[in-house]
Amino acid sequence: MTERVTVSLDEDSHAALETLLSETNHGQSELVRRALTFYAANFEAASGRPSDNLEQYYRMLTSGEHVLLDVDFLHAFLEHCYDGGDPDPEFVAAADRVSDYHAREYAQRFESVGEVLEWLSFCGFLEVRREEDDVYHIVFPSEAIRWFMTRFLERSTVDMPTEIEIERGVSKVIVTEGGGD
């Protein structure tokens, strides 16, 4: 069933419609249907109420400290450096320098390893599920990412007022957070 709708267009919306008609070779009805569907799917961003995640992504990207990276590039980088055997020592040293820098940052920014894990999950490196108060099951998309992120987690949390124990699997780990000093 189709519904007919009559719409009054102002000058800007009429110009936009004319531009889209010439660029897409779709009819007016098809363009309006697509526009409504797109607007509904992106309502929060379009209405000035970005989601918490969208706002966080925006802050990360505008700081110049983070970039969007296709996950396949990440896999390619790590597979090249790791390749199922011992990782390239120069890569490990560079990654450790980044981890050590983050240790200072995380000690001031986060109160628990659970918060760090939530942040890393938000960044797309892992999926985390809290099992108990201080026990987390973490799933990684590959063994190379598990190796990389587990090493990062161990090094980047050393200055926090807690200790962690990590039980490793092939693509999963269990992290238990303890009291520390």
Side-chain angles (χ1 to χ4, degrees):
M1 181 173 132
T2 58
E3 293 286 328
R4 288 197 148 306
V5 176
T6 302
V7 178
S8 298
L9 301 177
D10 61 15
E11 224 176 277
D12 289 341
S13 57
H14 183 262
L17 178 61
E18 291 298 320
T19 299
L20 288 171
L21 285 169
S22 66
E23 290 181 5
T24 65
N25 294 320
H26 293 300
Q28 288 182 3
S29 293
E30 178 64 18
L31 283 175
V32 171
R33 283 191 293 270
R34 287 182 180 207
L36 284 171
T37 301
F38 180 82
Y39 182 70
N42 296 284
F43 179 74
E44 284 185 356
S47 64
R49 296 181 298 147
S51 69
D52 291 340
N53 283 355
L54 186 58
E55 184 67 30
Q56 188 66 25
Y57 286 136
Y58 175 77
R59 283 193 300 254
M60 289 171 64
L61 292 173
T62 57
S63 73
E65 187 178 348
H66 298 90
V67 297
L68 289 178
L69 178 69
D70 189 291
V71 71
D72 287 337
F73 279 123
L74 175 63
H75 286 281
F77 292 144
L78 289 176
E79 291 300 328
H80 174 75
C81 294
Y82 180 69
D83 201 21
D86 291 332
D88 180 284
E90 290 181 32
F91 171 76
V92 173
D96 286 351
R97 283 193 306 274
V98 173
S99 300
D100 295 346
Y101 173 83
H102 280 78
R104 292 189 300 277
E105 177 187 357
Y106 288 0
Q108 296 174 6
R109 182 174 178 187
F110 298 111
E111 305 226 353
S112 70
V113 173
E115 290 178 359
V116 174
L117 292 172
E118 287 177 28
W119 172 250
L120 295 174
S121 178
F122 170 77
C123 292
F125 288 110
L126 52 88
E127 290 293 323
V128 63
R129 183 181 77 234
R130 178 178 249 165
E131 196 64 28
E132 297 172 21
D133 281 342
D134 297 322
V135 178
Y136 305 89
H137 287 244
I138 304 170
V139 179
F140 301 93
S142 71
E143 185 178 359
I145 292 177
R146 183 212 35 96
W147 168 82
F148 175 70
M149 290 309 300
T150 301
R151 185 176 182 94
F152 175 81
L153 185 62
E154 287 173 323
R155 293 184 70 96
S156 66
T157 59
V158 296
D159 292 339
M160 295 183 72
T162 188
E163 292 179 4
I164 60 172
E165 178 183 318
I166 298 178
E167 297 175 49
R168 290 171 173 77
V170 175
S171 64
K172 300 183 216 177
V173 299
I174 297 173
V175 173
T176 304
E177 184 174 4
D181 296 335

